Amino acid sequence: MHKAGFIAIIGKPNAGKSTLLNTLLGQELSIVTPKAQTTRHRIRGVLSNENYQLVFSDTPGIITPGYKLHQRMMSFVQSAFSDADIILLVYDINDKGFDFDKFKLMLPAGKKLIIALNKIDLSNQQDVEHTVAFLNQKLKPEAVIPISATERFGGEVLIHTLVKYLPEGPPNFEREVLTDRKERFFAAEIIREKIFLQFEKEVPYSIEVAIEEYKESPSLVKIRSFIFVERESQKSIILGKNGIAIKRLGMEARKKIEEMTGKKVFLELTVKIRGDWRNDEQQLNNFGYRE
């Protein structure tokens, strides 16, 4: 008997969705930073063995849209909902402001809900038990599984629980497939991750990264990438005095892309201005914010 299905991973920003996906897969797929709204796209990760195949969709954190970009991000959440056999809510045990009524309205009828109660390493047994009981009463899920994504605790129990509620069926991807995204996409994500880690305030949220050229040979990957910002002042920050900031950015991104590809990487970064791109439908299409 083989089980297979789709799981939509959802939650508020900084609940630990992407960290959980990477932990379950045993490989870094989604970028992770301490800043909210790091995840902008829907990223599928595939976990397979001879008995089951779980296809996870890591989605942007649930937010109230302030830009058309945010509307597109929330559309990725809805599309993941519609495809999913199981909704996996990653719930931060320390979250005191979760909007349960809004979440219930978002949930499609007939979908199984499992909750991963995350960050229990930052709590105590009494609070964990209290929160499990509260979530069972509030949302009536199939199960609430206490986990710590960063400490890699509870992952096996969570996988076992997800498999239990999966339908029987053949795999949707070949067993060796990890994701349906190309390395070109992940190169852009790595550059964006390093921007989130290196720069402060509004700058990371105002940038977009596009790969203009991705050429691969047996020993070398050549990448030309544009970093789009909204204002001249943001461009100056990304470049830094005498180009120091962008050199550091390029060095950090290149090292991680080399780890991903296993090859030497030549990375060229150019900063361009695209005013108010987050509200420009055509620009959002060009940047891949569409299903």
Side-chain angles (χ1 to χ4, degrees):
M1 180 180 69
H2 188 276
K3 289 192 165 189
F6 293 86
I7 295 100
I9 307 179
I10 61 170
K12 285 176 61 177
N14 284 348
K17 299 180 294 79
S18 299
T19 302
L20 176 59
L21 175 63
N22 294 340
T23 298
L24 294 178
L25 294 177
Q27 185 165 333
E28 189 171 340
L29 194 66
S30 290
I31 63 173
V32 177
T33 79
K35 295 184 174 69
Q37 300 177 37
T38 300
T39 303
R40 288 180 179 172
H41 294 270
R42 177 182 177 183
I43 300 173
R44 289 188 181 93
V46 185
L47 182 65
S48 304
N49 70 11
E50 64 273 11
N51 298 316
Y52 62 78
Q53 183 178 87
L54 302 169
V55 182
F56 295 99
S57 287
D58 186 17
T59 61
I62 300 171
I63 58 173
T64 300
Y67 297 92
K68 289 181 179 178
L69 167 65
H70 296 154
Q71 294 173 9
R72 299 285 182 98
M73 288 161 59
M74 290 304 94
S75 75
F76 296 156
V77 177
Q78 292 294 346
S79 66
F81 276 1
S82 64
D83 294 348
D85 299 288
I86 298 171
I87 308 297
L88 176 59
L89 171 64
V90 182
Y91 184 88
D92 184 341
I93 193 169
N94 298 305
D95 185 358
K96 306 302 180 186
F98 193 89
D99 192 334
F100 290 96
D101 293 331
K102 180 180 178 180
F103 178 72
K104 289 177 184 178
L105 290 174
M106 292 178 65
L107 275 177
K111 302 286 185 179
K112 296 187 182 301
L113 173 65
I114 292 174
I115 301 176
L117 178 59
N118 196 20
K119 304 184 182 180
I120 64 167
D121 55 305
L122 304 177
S123 187
N124 58 64
Q125 185 65 28
Q126 184 178 357
D127 285 346
V128 170
E129 292 174 358
H130 173 78
T131 307
V132 168
F134 171 76
L135 291 171
N136 276 319
Q137 182 271 328
K138 200 76 176 175
L139 294 175
K140 297 178 172 54
E142 308 296 331
V144 180
I145 311 298
I147 66 161
S148 171
T150 56
E151 298 298 321
R152 301 180 181 274
F153 172 81
E156 290 186 8
V157 175
L158 179 58
I159 290 172
H160 176 78
T161 305
L162 291 168
V163 172
K164 176 181 175 182
Y165 290 101
L166 279 183
E168 294 181 28
N172 295 281
F173 294 90
E174 296 293 331
R175 186 169 168 179
E176 66 274 8
V177 170
L178 177 68
T179 181
D180 59 349
R181 295 280 192 172
K182 305 291 187 184
E183 286 188 339
R184 181 186 185 114
F185 169 82
F186 289 109
E189 286 287 274
I190 287 170
I191 297 167
R192 197 167 61 81
E193 176 189 57
K194 297 307 178 184
I195 292 171
F196 266 68
L197 293 172
Q198 184 172 328
F199 299 97
E200 297 296 328
K201 298 181 180 178
E202 86 285 352
V203 171
Y205 301 100
S206 302
I207 64 95
E208 184 54 61
V209 176
I211 303 296
E212 181 71 10
E213 179 183 59
Y214 190 99
K215 289 186 177 180
E216 194 168 6
S217 67
S219 60
L220 176 69
V221 181
K222 182 179 179 182
I223 302 170
R224 286 199 304 120
S225 176
F226 291 141
I227 300 171
F228 293 99
V229 297
E230 293 185 316
R231 298 190 297 275
E232 184 67 41
S233 60
Q234 294 165 349
K235 179 178 179 179
S236 299
I237 292 170
I238 295 290
L239 292 174
K241 186 176 181 180
N242 299 323
I244 290 176
I246 198 168
K247 287 177 184 176
R248 177 187 167 198
L249 172 65
M251 181 179 67
E252 293 296 324
R254 178 179 53 76
K255 284 193 295 187
K256 189 165 182 179
I257 297 171
E258 286 180 341
E259 291 174 6
M260 176 184 72
T261 61
K263 299 178 180 180
K264 184 174 176 60
V265 170
F266 173 79
L267 177 62
E268 178 184 334
L269 300 176
T270 303
V271 185
K272 292 191 172 186
I273 298 173
R274 288 286 186 276
D276 201 28
W277 67 265
R278 288 179 286 182
N279 278 317
D280 188 316
E281 299 280 6
Q282 186 58 54
Q283 290 292 337
L284 291 171
N285 287 337
N286 292 342
F287 291 147
Y289 290 101
R290 57 183 185 272
E291 282 293 323

